[in-house]
Amino acid sequence: MSAIDKLLGRMTLAEKLGQLTMTSASYAVTGPVIAGDSTDSIRDGTLGNLLNLVGAKHVHEMQRIAVEESRLRIPLLIGFDVIHGHRTIFPVPLAEAATFDPRVWELTAREAARETAADGLAMTFAPMLDVSRDLRWGRTVEGPGEDPWLAEQIARAKVRGFQGADLAQHDSVAATAKHFCAYGPVAGGRDYASVDISERTLREVHLPAFAAAVRAGVAAIMPAFTELGGIPLTMHRPLLRDYLRGELKFDGVIVSDYNAIRELIQHGVAGDIVEAAVLALRAGVDIDMMAEAYRKGLPVALERGLVTMDEIDECVLRVLRLKERLGLFDDPYRRGASAETPDVVAARRRLARDVAAKSLVLAKNSAGTLPLDAKVRRVSVIGPLADAWREMRGPWAAAGYEEPSVTTLAGLNEALPHAAVSHAEGVPIVGTNVSGIAAAVEAVSGADVVVLCLGEAAEMSGEAASRAFPELPGEQRKLAEAVLDRARRDDVRVVAVLFCGRPLIVPWLAERVDALLIAWFPGTEAGNAIADVLTGRVSPSGRTPITWPRALGQIPIFYSQRNSGRPENPSDHFTSKYLDSPNAPLFPFGFGLTYGRFAYANMTVSPETATLEDVIEVSVDVTNEGGRAAEETVFLFTRDRVACVARPTLELKGVTKISLLPGETGTARLRLPASDLRFLGLDLEPVHEPGEIEIHVGPCADLGQLVSSRVMVRA
Ligand code: BGC
């Protein structure tokens, strides 16, 4: 009998339910009652897990109470939302997705894990893996964007990064893949709303990233708040028990979302807290976060015979095993035992700058507006986001260092010591005050260039931050139009830098400015990274991981649509299109310019006939015909034109990057395992169908820009 089994044998019901409960502590509170009323529960063994507590000193004090003063001396599991860095804030997840670089995703998770662990914590509620094709949904910012293949790559890299080589290491933390699953397609893009999608979309789009996380060994999974076709995920037996535990053999911990078990009552599937607790437990939810449903409901349920002690024990064992894997029984103080050295902190800051620069997407650059001429002497930095340091961090940066993040104004001042960099706010981010527009317009005259910093406030994306009008808020358009009018009159170039947690609908802005840099929310080093790209110290390489629509009515818009029986044909009325908008997006998935200019030639595919076991090697020569060194991101898409079920017109299957000097040619090579060409057949089981597969390679999901070939797949 293992030590954990023996321990279970000694536990009272109240102690068992304590291990199945997670309660929030307010981390701003200092002193011995950090966990508020929880301190007593920790001491009497009826609370085993906390969230929202940071600082090694506080965490260790709580652990001390648990392991020295409670009867069974079981250490606490303490988790925190480390969404894009813990103290050092990296770009928001959607921005990081734009790097299309698994090393970046893993490295930032590793560094975030180190900072989290240095704070004494052993668990994070990340990565968020919900694919989003509706930018009205505020939580788009927390996730991987629109593509399931991309989401899978991010899932693997993040789990590796957070958990390290061994969960017991002093700098590893348990990752939580969330929110399982299909949280993104909430009706109308409204957070927490109903979701109703086909079984095929569920399996093809929303499950793969979670399956990848499980295969990578993710320690925990959090069900989504939402319901799917009427069944809340918190009680979804087919998905939690049959799919996760059964099909994927996931034996880690399932932790509910905040108060989600109690919300089963509001959903309309439980009459009271007892029923709610029963539904969640029987579906396999191990930890009740913040609902008090297990501690209050399960004793009654047990008495009424609605659950068995074996069912409760099964959950307790999973929680104890996770604590064991994290090394908490051996040494509950191993995380946060020593402070990080200044060198480590400084190196992390450099990483934050580097990653932020890589996540910026250059969406327009007419007539070589960027990089800025080395001779610029007068730069006008205009707009409400030019010097707003808190906004730079983006949403969900709860424990970020209090010191200001670098703003665009500060970054440009630093990068251009010989230039006069002036600032005019113009208008606030939201609100109707336009009194600053006149001064902003005056600041255009005489400038060599205007850098117009526009966008959303950080809190306008994230949880409970859906927007029905995902455009520039407040009077920013008025400011931009006035600045652009004056700039046109005075022949001054305007570079717009757009801060946002989702694509914004700004076709007019893209049309009118000379250059457009999508900055998302770049984090602690925002302004330095932006200045690096604007001045050409770094050549931009980010690519949008989500399609940018030109009109609200195009939502949901994503590149991997099916052809339909009447694909768009401008000369045929009865085809799939709008009367009042093109179908084409403003910027397609994968789009982003560099300071180079790339041409593709000589595509080869080998072998030309492949079996399921083969790995297809695709190569293409890429030449930098531009005047500057740059890194090109090369995407590989496939299309299966004739299959037993209609397949998308493009499906992402691979990405690589190639750095080239001006005039240089290199060969980009991508590997496509033929087994990746399997898909779910008529009965939703994977099939491998012989036949021709088109292979398209190039800079983004726009067929017109891709070079194409094909491979024959044999049975
Ligand atoms: C969010 C989760 C988060 C949890 C704990 C919830 O409101 O949906 O993503 O992990 O709170 O903070």
Side-chain angles (χ1 to χ4, degrees), residues 297-318:
L298 289 181
V300 184
L302 206 53
E303 242 173 58
R304 290 193 200 148
L306 299 174
V307 293
T308 64
M309 192 61 96
D310 281 353
E311 285 171 317
I312 293 175
D313 286 354
E314 212 189 290
C315 297
V316 176
L317 280 176
R318 277 194 290 260

Side-chain angles (χ1 to χ4, degrees), residues 13-28:
L13 176 62
E15 284 164 340
K16 287 177 183 175
L17 299 182
Q19 292 304 311
L20 305 189
T21 299
M22 182 176 269
T23 298
S24 178
S26 161
Y27 90 83

Side-chain angles (χ1 to χ4, degrees), residues 665-688:
T665 298
T667 304
R669 294 174 206 285
L670 295 120
R671 289 163 57 83
L672 171 64
S675 54
D676 284 4
L677 296 170
R678 281 178 309 187
F679 60 93
L680 302 181
L682 288 164
D683 54 3
L684 293 172
E685 290 300 321
V687 287
H688 168 68

Side-chain angles (χ1 to χ4, degrees), residues 614-657:
D614 284 327
V615 173
I616 302 156
E617 312 263 352
V618 178
S619 78
V620 64
D621 289 345
V622 184
T623 302
N624 183 356
E625 295 178 343
R628 288 179 171 267
E631 183 182 67
E632 173 73 334
T633 304
V634 182
F635 294 93
L636 186 159
F637 298 98
T638 58
R639 178 170 185 188
D640 189 347
R641 256 185 207 270
V642 185
C644 63
V645 292
R647 305 299 307 151
T649 48
L650 287 178
E651 286 182 79
L652 181 62
K653 299 285 182 192
V655 181
T656 190
K657 290 180 179 256

